[in-house]
């Protein structure tokens, strides 16, 4: 779906090194008891009231050891259940090209493309349904003659504005090892993205295919990657996690992005992305 300095390669690189990266993102300021780790208590503290398991979330599933990544949410970053703490994650539809075994396992593709016929069927005032999380009202269908920035060289010009946050742009050409274009099909279709995503050198948005709750180890290491600041990994205390959602407004303030490592059915390390809209 993405070439060059794009989201998909970020994911590939981060999975290989087992950390992450890219929400979060960004975020709105504000307080919410469910989102604020300072009111959640410590793992094993049964005195803390149980949070409500969000509809459709899978709890207590057996998870293979490995590295995972997905979308996290401002209002349910850490949940308490029976004295344990959980990370609520929307898992992305897969990276079939880089990791064929993942595509075979889930049977789904990473990309969502829209044809010209799909776009013609849209109307202002309709609800645009991208995945189980991202839905919004279409406020415009204006197409502009947009020239992609230099860091997106394989994206044809053209952009359809949907609202202040979301827009549609073309997919990218596929090149071979000798830099020859071998597939134009994606560039003739459209993908959903945001203005902020483009500004931070990304393109599309990862679709979520299922939601799970992952238990934290009481020795879990928390990190974040600062795209806006020094471009380095930093450790962060559990009680300070909500600060990751205190920088930006709008769509950026509601969602985040993380990668995490699971061992013996518990998260032992998690890394959030900051200053980049990897939804």
């Amino acid at each position: 779906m993405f070439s060059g300095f794009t989201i998909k390669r970020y994911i590939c690189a981060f999975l290989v090194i087992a950390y992450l990266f890219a929400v979060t993102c960004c975020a709105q300021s504000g307080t919410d008891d469910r989102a604020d780790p300072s009111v959640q208590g410590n793992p094993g503290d049964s005195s803390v009231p149980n949070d409500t398991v969000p509809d459709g979330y899978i709890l207590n599933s057996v998870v293979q050891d490995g590295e995972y990544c997905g979308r996290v949410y401002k209002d349910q970053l850490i949940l308490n259940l029976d004295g344990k703490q959980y990370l609520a994650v929307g898992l992305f539809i897969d990276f079939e090209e880089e990791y064929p075994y993942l595509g075979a396992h889930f049977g789904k593709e990473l990309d969502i493309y829209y044809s010209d016929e799909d776009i013609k069927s849209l109307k202002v005032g309709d609800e645009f349904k991208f995945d189980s999380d991202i839905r919004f009202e279409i406020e415009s269908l204006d197409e502009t003659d947009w020239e992609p920035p230099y860091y997106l060289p394989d994206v044809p010009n053209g952009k359809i504005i949907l609202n202040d946050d979301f827009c549609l742009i073309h997919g990218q050409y596929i090149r071979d090892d000798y830099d020859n274009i071998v597939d134009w099909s994606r560039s003739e279709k459209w993908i959903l993205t945001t203005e902020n995503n483009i500004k931070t050198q990304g393109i599309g948005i990862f679709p979520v295919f299922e939601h799970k709750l992952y238990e934290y180890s009481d020795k879990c290491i928390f990190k974040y990657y600062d795209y806006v600041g020094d471009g380095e990994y930093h450790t962060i205390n559990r009680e300070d996690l909500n600060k990751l959602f205190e920088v930006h407004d709008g769509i950026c303030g509601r969602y985040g992005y993380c990668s995490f490592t699971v061992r013996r059915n518990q998260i032992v390390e998690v890394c959030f992305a900051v200053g980049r809209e990897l939804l």
Side-chain angles (χ1 to χ4, degrees), residues 64-77:
Q64 293 183 351
D65 287 1
E67 286 72 49
Y68 300 85
C69 55
R71 187 182 299 155
V72 290
Y73 308 91
K74 177 181 183 290
D75 293 334
Q76 54 192 40
L77 187 59

Side-chain angles (χ1 to χ4, degrees), residues 85-100:
Q85 290 189 333
Y86 293 82
L87 176 70
V89 182
L91 294 174
F92 291 134
I93 293 175
D94 250 300
F95 323 114
E96 194 167 31
E97 291 182 4
E98 280 79 4
Y99 300 93

